[in-house]
């Protein structure tokens, strides 16, 4: 019976990694679609989000079944509770990738990136992809050094997010209303994507250490703008 239980816990971890890998693919495709106005790639991201949602729901159902049938305690209980919370954050990360892809699709055949902000959004996209890939690795290995890397990358994304607002609110900004809205939304989606990654990293720190306060100290949420 215990062997079956531990196999179930391993299944939970494996499913989390699978979803994280799908999220990494989604944000990579979404940022490329956003930067190049590749509407076909954007459609792939939008359609694939349903798969992420389905896998997150299936994982939640498995975790709830384990809680009901096995009544885990100590670290086993932390694994199951953490999985429920992490799956929700990963699902939201998939939504952020989908939103970026939807922006690219809505402006096709024009580019969604407003003039003067291409470099900023290119860098934000690169950092989000990096964060997503490192997050999947964190879930595979529980190497807490990766949690620090994710937090540091999130800090860089926050700075870029602030720079976008400074740009569109500055006197030199000549963009039309649609460009302003696009820039604001896209920046927020990128920033929120990384925020959810930090949230997952905090939960992994908790899982590894059992110390939620310590996780708060190591991986802090992004400032709200």
């Amino acid at each position: 019976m215990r062997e079956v239980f531990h196999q179930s816990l391993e299944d939970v971890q494996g499913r989390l990694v699978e979803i994280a890998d799908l999220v990494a693919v989604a944000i990579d495709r979404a940022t490329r679609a956003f930067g190049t106005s590749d509407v076909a790639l954007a459609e792939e991201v939008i359609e694939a989000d349903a798969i992420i949602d389905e896998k997150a729901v299936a994982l939640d159902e498995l975790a709830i079944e384990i809680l009901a049938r096995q009544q885990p305690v100590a670290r086993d209980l932390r694994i199951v509770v953490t999985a429920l919370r992490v799956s929700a954050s990963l699902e939201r990360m998939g939504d952020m990738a989908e939103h970026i892809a939807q922006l690219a699709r809505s402006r096709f055949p024009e580019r969604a990136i407003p003039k003067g902000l291409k470099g900023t959004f290119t860098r934000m996209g690169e950092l989000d992809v990096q964060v997503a890939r490192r997050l999947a690795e964190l879930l595979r290995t529980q190497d807490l050094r990766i949690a620090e890397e994710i937090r540091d990358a999130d800090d860089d994304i926050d700075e870029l997010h602030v720079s976008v607002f400074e740009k569109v609110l500055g006197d030199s900004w000549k963009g039309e209303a649609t460009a302003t809205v696009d820039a604001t939304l896209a920046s927020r989606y990128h920033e929120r994507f990384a925020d959810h990654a930090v949230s997952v990293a905090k939960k992994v720190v908790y899982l590894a250490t059992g110390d939620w306060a310590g996780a708060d100290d190591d991986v802090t949420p992004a400032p709200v703008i």
Side-chain angles (χ1 to χ4, degrees):
M1 191 69 178
R2 292 297 297 175
E3 182 178 349
V4 173
F5 174 51
H6 285 294
Q7 286 177 348
S8 296
L9 293 180
E10 290 177 2
D11 189 17
V12 166
Q13 182 181 13
R15 291 190 189 201
L16 283 175
V17 173
E18 180 186 15
I19 297 170
D21 283 336
L22 291 174
V23 168
V25 171
I27 193 63
D28 177 53
R29 290 177 175 174
T31 55
R32 285 192 283 126
F34 186 69
T36 62
S37 296
D38 188 332
V39 69
L41 197 57
E43 290 287 0
E44 289 181 16
V45 177
I46 294 166
E47 292 174 4
D49 185 61
I51 298 174
I52 293 174
D53 293 345
E54 290 170 3
K55 289 186 178 295
V57 169
L59 173 58
D60 290 350
E61 290 174 349
L62 173 61
I64 291 170
E65 181 181 352
I66 291 172
L67 286 173
R69 292 179 178 271
Q70 304 294 339
Q71 298 181 350
V73 296
R75 177 176 167 79
D76 292 341
L77 178 61
R78 293 206 305 271
I79 291 173
V80 179
V81 172
T82 300
L84 284 167
R85 302 184 71 181
V86 167
S87 69
S89 292
L90 290 173
E91 188 272 333
R92 289 300 295 151
M93 291 173 73
D95 288 346
M96 294 302 105
E98 181 189 18
H99 293 337
I100 293 169
Q102 287 172 335
L103 274 179
R105 183 178 65 177
S106 68
R107 294 295 171 238
F108 181 79
E110 301 298 326
R111 289 200 175 187
I113 297 180
K115 292 181 179 179
L117 288 171
K118 180 177 176 56
T120 299
F121 279 111
T122 297
R123 183 56 181 155
M124 289 182 85
E126 291 171 348
L127 287 169
D128 270 347
V129 172
Q130 173 188 321
V131 161
R133 290 173 177 169
R134 296 303 285 158
L135 184 62
E137 186 64 19
L138 174 62
L139 289 168
R140 282 189 186 92
T141 65
Q142 293 187 23
D143 181 348
L144 300 190
R145 292 173 297 180
I146 299 176
E148 290 287 339
E149 293 176 18
I150 291 171
R151 185 201 62 184
D152 291 344
D154 177 61
D155 289 342
D156 292 339
I157 293 169
D158 289 342
E159 291 179 6
L160 292 168
H161 179 53
V162 170
S163 75
V164 170
F165 274 76
E166 290 175 344
K167 178 77 172 180
V168 300
L169 294 175
D171 294 336
S172 62
W173 177 250
K174 303 300 181 184
E176 298 179 355
T178 54
T180 303
V181 171
D182 286 348
T184 303
L185 287 176
S187 183
R188 185 59 171 164
Y189 296 151
H190 281 89
E191 185 262 345
R192 288 301 296 157
F193 183 93
D195 278 354
H196 284 294
V198 170
S199 178
V200 172
K202 289 171 61 177
K203 294 173 178 65
V204 175
V205 170
Y206 166 70
L207 175 60
T209 66
D211 183 2
W212 186 253
D216 281 336
D217 290 339
D218 289 340
V219 187
T220 55
V224 176
I225 293 180

